Amino acid sequence: MIKYLIIISFLCCQLVSAQKVQFTTAVFQTGDSALWATQSFNDKEWKPIGLQTYWEEQGHDKYDGFAWYRIHFNLPSSLKEKAALQDLMEVFFPGIEDADITYLNGAEIGRTGLMPEDKGGFRSGGKYRERHYILRADLPALRWDKDNVLAIRVYDGGGTGGIVGAQSFIRFLEPVDYISMDAQSSDFKIKDKTVSKEITFQNRYSKNLDGVLTTTLNCNDSLVKKQVKSVSLMPGKNVISVLGLASEEAATVNFVFKETIKDSILQSIQDVPYILTPKEKKEPKINSASAFGCKLGVPFQFTIAATGTRPMQFEITDLPKGLKLDAVKGIISGKVEKEGTYRIKITAKNNTGKDQKIVDLLIGTKNTIATPPMGWNSWNCWGLSVSDEKVKSSADAMISSGLANHGWSYMNIDDGWESSERADNGSIRANEKFPDMKLLGDYLHSHGLKFGIYSSPGPKTCGGYLGSYQNEESDAKSYASWGVDYLKYDLCSYRRYFPKGILTLEELKVPYLKMYRELESSGRNIVYSLCEYGVWDVWKWGSEVGGNIWRTTGDISDNWTSLKEIGFTQEIPASYNGSDYGFGDPDMLIVGYVGWGDNLRLTRLTPSEQYTHISLWCLLSAPLMLGCDLARMDPFTYNLLSNDEVLAIDQDVVGKGPKKTDLPNDIQLWVKDLADGSKAAGLFNLGDKLLKKSFKLSELGFANAKSIRDVWRQKNLPSRDEIEVNIPSHGVMLLKIVSK
Ligand code: GAL
């Protein structure tokens, strides 16, 4: 009779399958004793308990503290015989609250969290944290074909306690458990439109494990390419290259590794970057905007942005008095003492040819900048960990990568550069990460770049560093002495001066106006970038307080929701934009390696979303501030940021905002009037499906089109009354339309 009962009790606490012994119930006791860990302890008096819900729900309401679970199970040797690999086993619990130490027949096999007696005291192992306790199958404590006891000492520090979750079990590790596949960490490599990728496998088993790696490329929901490769994974690291993933349209790649012994699968699906910008030519091409603004009688610096092989020789006709040209670097510098618009003709020559462009230098006009600033800001990549070294490494990369040749020029330090105390004379100082601001400014200028900085009208910045409150004059002078060209002025702690968080508009304007006056008399041409997150419709009065650009939104983040919420709500703010007024700033770009701190990652936006991001910002006439580590730029990101026809839409000298039209099926059309009378238009697919459709040009409002150009691909479309579009989910088709 006794024997019969024991068998029954085994049956009700374990389910044996070919792969695992599953646990469903245990016996339970509150309190604590080291004896309860052993296999031989007599727990007959203990009460049964389920393993799927907290002990509070099983008669131990509000119990916090120590309790033990004992799970009896038989370990059939057939489990071992059937295992593909007989080396390691796993004891698995989906969750234990809060901390546990787990014993098998008296031997500790794992622990999570800290117990009250541990150094530092109790610490929860983390809610919902799975336990994967691995043991060798030859562990002497294991009792094959006999009663085994898993004893789990649990400590509940408050709230619910105990073992919870769908399934707890013991099993042998399968071949696939020894293998990890990392297809995410490496960048897609792109060379002449051939995309490749390295996949890293780790084989933690002692022998080779074989399998088949199948790569499929899908475009517009149909299979484009399939590659099947047999692989034998050696113990340790294995790097496998997969080539030929090239696609000229949005595509996804599916990597599937199937190991041979059990046919188990590891899989990763990713969006493949697709290249749209044609390759740069050897011949010179001047890419600078056709207007550049500067205040009167202050240092002037303008670098001609031009692509084409170096060395290149620059010439200028009609350069105004006071300016000189560095004919090799293409940097124009000096000081102009007479107000006016100076039309200059720039020539760029190299051994393959030449290019010419007319540029207007606007000296002393109302808005300091003629076109939205293009450059880099440290915030979206480095956050508060920005340093002199990091700024320089991105500056060097701005030049060496060739990005500067497309017009990118500002190098702006965001928050995190300020020291914790002012100097004795009250002037602001940089912290230890920036040994010499003047030297840094000189370094940037010598490379033809511009130097930007950040502060707050409050006593503290958003990152808790020193702001400019009551030190505006001194700070503006310090910036000017370092050679600063750009100031981002971020509201932050200034809000605290209004206890209920309420400011009147007039109160809000005061600190911005104050700093503007100081910048005006600083003796430098400092672009003034207001950052107050768009409150009180800043686009209506940003210019009045001297702003050249003004943030129209809260902080952006590298995901589609954020991009969509910010970007596609800019119609009204951008409708105020204009070269003679200023530009709304929907925040910095979220492409490339970003991270807001020391740990950077490739943006979470898909390639199509990134084309949308850049296209929309250009249509909005928004400042283009890269927020990524330029020293670690992948080929896709470079390609995305170096399309001169796209950038020219942003840098159009009229600087207007676009008009939006909603079309059926989550399609939006944004159209911007350009200075030459043509129009730029973005047809955005905000939906989740590919948009394959033909549009009548009259439907889009372009009935009179003489020519219509696909701007990303830099190709004219056949001139018909209709256009065929194939726009991926969250993607865009960017067009330039010239009317008859
Ligand atoms: C935020 C601002 C960010 C960044 C940050 C620095 O208020 O929106 O762009 O400048 O402060 O602390």
Side-chain angles (χ1 to χ4, degrees):
M1 180 65 180
I2 288 173
K3 206 171 173 190
Y4 179 71
L5 275 180
I6 290 172
I7 292 166
I8 296 285
S9 91
F10 281 171
L11 283 181
C12 62
C13 74
Q14 72 175 72
L15 296 168
V16 184
S17 74
Q19 293 87 31
K20 56 174 87 146
V21 177
Q22 198 176 314
F23 314 129
T24 53
T25 58
V27 288
F28 179 79
Q29 178 66 55
T30 54
D32 191 27
S33 163
L35 283 179
W36 299 347
T38 60
Q39 191 268 336
S40 56
F41 174 74
N42 183 347
D43 55 23
K44 251 192 277 168
E45 303 299 316
W46 288 24
K47 298 266 163 9
I49 191 165
L51 295 174
Q52 283 160 2
T53 52
Y54 298 112
W55 64 48
E56 278 81 359
E57 290 161 35
Q58 302 185 71
H60 304 277
D61 195 22
K62 298 202 174 112
Y63 179 74
D64 297 334
F66 282 108
W68 284 69
Y69 289 75
R70 287 173 55 87
I71 303 171
H72 287 265
F73 65 99
N74 180 31
L75 196 56
S77 37
S78 60
L79 197 70
K80 190 174 191 172
E81 282 147 22
K82 286 180 191 144
L85 304 174
Q86 298 172 344
D87 305 61
L88 297 179
M89 301 183 80
E90 175 193 29
V91 169
F92 173 78
F93 296 107
I96 302 179
E97 287 187 25
D98 294 309
D100 73 287
I101 305 180
T102 297
Y103 303 87
L104 179 64
N105 300 329
E108 183 182 326
I109 57 164
R111 58 169 73 203
T112 306
L114 293 177
M115 291 297 178
E117 72 270 16
D118 288 332
K119 204 173 156 217
F122 161 71
R123 199 169 70 221
S124 167
K127 236 182 169 181
Y128 315 118
R129 170 127 162 240
E130 293 181 344
R131 269 61 165 178
H132 296 268
Y133 296 144
I134 307 294
L135 47 135
R136 295 194 59 87
D138 58 6
L139 188 76
L142 280 172
R143 292 158 54 91
W144 296 97
D145 299 312
K146 289 191 187 129
D147 177 38
N148 289 264
V149 176
L150 264 177
I152 303 105
R153 180 184 183 225
V154 180
Y155 184 79
D156 174 17
T160 46
I163 301 178
V164 283
Q167 273 196 11
S168 311
F169 53 80
I170 183 166
R171 64 170 189 127
F172 272 91
L173 292 191
E174 305 233 328
V176 83
D177 297 315
Y178 292 87
I179 306 170
S180 59
M181 176 172 99
D182 176 7
Q184 293 283 351
S185 320
S186 67
D187 291 342
F188 281 95
K189 291 195 183 118
I190 304 173
K191 209 175 165 221
D192 298 331
K193 295 207 173 175
T194 306
V195 181
S196 63
K197 177 101 180 174
E198 281 183 345
I199 304 180
T200 303
F201 290 91
Q202 291 286 352
N203 173 6
R204 287 178 295 274
Y205 194 57
S206 53
K207 298 189 186 107
N208 277 24
L209 290 173
D210 297 338
V212 175
L213 178 64
T214 306
T215 307
T216 45
L217 192 71
N218 292 285
C219 188
N220 299 344
D221 299 331
S222 49
L223 180 74
V224 180
K225 199 175 268 180
K226 184 170 176 176
Q227 262 179 30
V228 182
K229 212 173 185 173
S230 292
V231 284
S232 185
L233 301 175
M234 298 175 311
K237 187 173 169 186
N238 297 255
V239 180
I240 296 180
S241 290
V242 186
L243 285 161
L245 305 171
S247 169
E248 290 185 20
E249 289 173 61
T252 52
V253 65
N254 189 359
F255 301 109
V256 179
F257 176 79
K258 194 186 218 182
E259 65 78 25
T260 313
I261 307 175
K262 300 279 280 189
D263 280 354
S264 306
I265 274 174
L266 296 170
Q267 184 175 18
S268 171
I269 301 181
Q270 293 166 38
D271 292 292
V272 186
Y274 53 107
I275 295 294
L276 297 181
T277 305
K279 221 175 152 188
E280 274 171 37
K281 300 213 168 65
K282 290 184 182 146
E283 296 79 25
K285 186 169 163 294
I286 300 169
N287 300 312
S288 298
S290 40
F292 177 78
C294 182
K295 287 182 185 137
L296 184 68
V298 298
F300 174 106
Q301 180 167 323
F302 169 64
T303 307
I304 303 163
T307 41
T309 42
R310 275 13 190 209
M312 199 174 279
Q313 189 72 19
F314 295 95
E315 284 164 21
I316 292 186
T317 53
D318 301 326
L319 198 60
K321 195 162 161 246
L323 297 186
K324 63 176 189 333
L325 167 74
D326 177 329
V328 176
K329 290 186 176 169
I331 303 175
I332 308 171
S333 59
K335 211 180 255 185
V336 186
E337 300 290 357
K338 200 166 162 250
E339 199 176 298
T341 297
Y342 298 87
R343 182 155 283 194
I344 58 171
K345 184 153 102 192
I346 305 174
T347 305
K349 281 189 205 155
N350 68 9
N351 58 8
T352 63
K354 71 170 188 179
D355 190 29
Q356 291 191 317
K357 183 159 186 167
I358 304 285
V359 173
D360 285 337
L361 303 182
L362 313 175
I363 306 295
T365 51
K366 189 165 167 271
N367 192 24
T368 316
I369 43 170
T371 59
M374 286 173 67
W376 176 88
N377 171 293
S378 56
W379 186 249
N380 291 354
C381 44
W382 302 119
L384 293 173
S385 77
V386 62
S387 66
D388 180 88
E389 220 177 299
K390 287 170 176 157
V391 175
K392 277 189 191 142
S393 85
S394 271
D396 292 346
M398 184 73 112
I399 305 291
S400 62
S401 68
L403 268 190
N405 299 337
H406 298 275
W408 302 89
S409 64
Y410 285 90
M411 295 301 301
N412 296 352
I413 308 170
D414 207 280
D415 205 357
W417 64 268
E418 314 86 336
S419 77
S420 55
E421 278 172 25
R422 291 177 173 270
D424 291 344
N425 67 0
S427 62
I428 188 85
R429 292 180 301 188
N431 57 38
E432 64 293 342
K433 294 183 293 165
F434 290 89
D436 191 327
M437 289 301 237
K438 165 95 174 63
L439 269 186
L440 177 57
D442 290 348
Y443 182 84
L444 297 173
H445 292 140
S446 69
H447 286 84
L449 299 171
K450 296 229 143 106
F451 180 25
I453 212 160
Y454 166 96
S455 188
S456 169
K460 287 279 162 68
T461 65
C462 293
Y465 288 79
L466 279 185
S468 296
Y469 185 63
Q470 291 181 337
N471 289 286
E472 295 80 0
E473 182 186 352
S474 159
D475 287 2
K477 285 199 170 118
S478 298
Y479 304 153
S481 74
W482 298 337
V484 162
D485 304 299
Y486 186 113
L487 172 69
K488 171 171 168 185
Y489 211 41
D490 192 356
L491 193 60
C492 304
S493 69
Y494 192 84
R495 282 179 288 196
R496 280 193 221 132
Y497 286 82
F498 299 89
K500 289 178 193 148
I502 302 169
L503 295 164
T504 66
L505 175 56
E506 288 319 306
E507 281 168 340
L508 182 57
K509 285 179 186 171
V510 171
Y512 283 102
L513 205 51
K514 193 166 189 177
M515 184 50 106
Y516 171 60
R517 294 203 176 108
E518 300 305 341
L519 295 178
E520 276 295 285
S521 49
S522 72
R524 276 197 70 85
N525 186 49
I526 299 181
V527 171
Y528 192 27
S529 155
L530 316 184
C531 180
E532 48 78 272
Y533 334 113
V535 295
W536 256 287
D537 294 356
V538 63
W539 42 92
K540 295 183 180 159
W541 52 269
S543 180
E544 185 193 315
V545 298
N548 302 112
I549 68 171
W550 37 84
R551 265 277 287 280
T552 55
T553 75
D555 285 17
I556 199 164
S557 177
D558 61 326
N559 59 69
W560 172 245
T561 311
S562 173
L563 173 65
K564 184 176 162 185
E565 278 173 12
I566 287 182
F568 289 97
T569 51
Q570 295 301 309
E571 191 188 13
I572 294 175
S575 68
Y576 286 77
N577 288 352
S579 303
D580 52 357
Y581 183 74
F583 307 99
D585 170 14
D587 209 359
M588 296 163 297
L589 302 174
I590 35 164
V591 300
Y593 275 89
V594 294
W596 293 268
D598 267 328
N599 297 321
L600 302 189
R601 56 162 188 271
L602 200 53
T603 176
R604 291 176 179 151
L605 297 179
T606 65
S608 296
E609 289 165 356
Q610 296 180 61
Y611 281 118
T612 286
H613 185 20
I614 302 299
S615 305
L616 184 55
W617 263 236
C618 289
L619 286 164
L620 290 169
S621 300
L624 300 178
M625 286 295 158
L626 293 165
C628 56
D629 180 4
L630 300 183
R632 193 177 167 193
M633 196 162 21
D634 57 294
F636 170 77
T637 309
Y638 181 84
N639 187 273
L640 179 76
L641 302 173
S642 56
N643 192 312
D644 300 308
E645 293 194 19
V646 174
L647 297 174
I649 294 174
D650 182 70
Q651 295 294 301
D652 183 74
V653 288
V654 176
K656 282 195 177 167
K659 290 211 172 58
K660 180 186 90 159
T661 310
D662 285 304
L663 300 174
N665 303 320
D666 255 341
I667 308 300
Q668 293 188 9
L669 175 69
W670 291 67
V671 182
K672 170 178 179 175
D673 292 330
L674 300 175
D676 63 2
S678 65
K679 287 179 195 302
L683 201 51
F684 295 92
N685 177 4
L686 278 69
D688 293 332
K689 293 198 188 75
L690 168 81
L691 173 77
K692 210 172 161 57
K693 191 173 153 52
S694 81
F695 282 97
K696 285 213 162 41
L697 285 180
S698 54
E699 247 179 286
L700 302 177
F702 310 130
N704 274 329
K706 182 165 87 186
S707 75
I708 185 154
R709 187 161 173 85
D710 177 333
V711 185
W712 277 106
R713 293 176 176 83
Q714 301 186 356
K715 272 187 193 146
N716 282 351
L717 299 178
S719 47
R720 291 199 214 109
D721 293 339
E722 303 198 327
I723 50 165
E724 296 279 328
V725 304
N726 217 343
I727 310 176
S729 159
H730 302 176
V732 62
M733 182 151 198
L734 188 63
L735 302 167
K736 185 168 173 179
I737 303 105
V738 179
S739 302
K740 277 181 193 144

